[in-house]
Amino acid sequence: MTSNFSVKKQTLVGLSTALMIIFSQIAIPLPIGVPITLQTFVVIIIAIVLEAELATATMGIYTFLGCLGLPVFSNFSGGLQRVLGPSGGFIMSFMVMAFIIGRASQVGNKFVLWIGVYMGLAAQYMIGAMYLAFIGNMDFSRALTVFYPFLIKDIILAGVAVMIATRIKVRVNKCGIRYV
């Protein structure tokens, strides 16, 4: 059986996973147990530049490494207990978010991309809030209100990430580097 996952694609996924790990360490701890990080910001950039297949693989590997106990999550933490904790829904939602945004990026239309980015962000918050409501034994609306401080930051940073990522993607394409 032959694989469609070339060395170039494997390298891009590896480098993007490293980028995700680095941006996860830029964190401000909060008393609710979920720190403010730049993870969402970098997920958006990776998803736009690498598109659906590679971005989803990147987030899957990132999550898998963390589940194994490697210190890849915020504040150099890792382990299954982290994924099963309050921020676990967000960690697990990165793959869904990357897929949605990556698919929107593949369309090649800026309007579709912007809609996809905010749909991916909405999916992340829905999954994160549902998970927190489940493990915290709380009402879904209460779980959603816990994330209001994050939402404002993420809406703004999503716009910044789109502007940065679209420029990176244009430059990468001008260089003739095709990875899809």
Side-chain angles (χ1 to χ4, degrees):
M1 184 164 106
T2 60
S3 174
N4 180 356
F5 222 59
S6 69
V7 173
K8 188 185 297 185
K9 287 181 181 181
Q10 292 174 31
T11 303
L12 287 168
V13 168
L15 290 172
S16 296
T17 303
L19 191 63
M20 183 68 184
I21 293 167
I22 292 166
F23 273 77
S24 296
Q25 304 319 314
I26 303 169
I28 301 168
L30 293 178
I32 61 170
V34 181
I36 292 178
T37 69
L38 292 177
Q39 291 169 313
T40 299
F41 175 75
V42 80
V43 170
I44 295 169
I45 291 175
I46 290 168
I48 292 171
V49 175
L50 296 187
E51 299 177 349
E53 177 190 22
L54 300 182
T56 305
T58 297
M59 296 311 135
I61 291 169
Y62 169 76
T63 304
F64 180 70
L65 292 173
C67 287
L68 288 178
L70 295 174
V72 299
F73 300 141
S74 63
N75 298 319
F76 295 101
S77 63
L80 201 51
Q81 76 280 2
R82 193 72 172 139
V83 176
L84 299 175
S87 60
F90 275 90
I91 293 168
M92 291 183 270
S93 73
F94 291 149
M95 287 182 281
V96 174
M97 183 181 185
F99 181 80
I100 292 169
I101 296 169
R103 279 287 183 218
S105 178
Q106 287 172 269
V107 172
N109 178 301
K110 282 192 179 194
F111 179 74
V112 172
L113 177 60
W114 282 95
I115 296 297
V117 166
Y118 287 107
M119 283 179 60
L121 196 58
Q124 178 192 34
Y125 274 85
M126 295 301 283
I127 294 167
M130 285 190 295
Y131 187 79
L132 182 62
F134 176 73
I135 67 154
N137 197 24
M138 64 175 76
D139 192 58
F140 175 74
S141 59
R142 168 76 178 112
L144 203 51
T145 60
V146 170
F147 298 118
Y148 283 158
F150 302 94
L151 185 60
I152 296 165
K153 172 206 60 115
D154 286 337
I155 288 172
I156 294 167
L157 283 180
V160 173
V162 169
M163 290 185 277
I164 291 170
T166 52
R167 287 192 174 117
I168 292 170
K169 192 171 182 175
V170 166
R171 296 220 170 131
V172 166
N173 289 340
K174 276 185 182 177
C175 293
I177 301 170
R178 288 305 304 157
Y179 44 84
V180 187

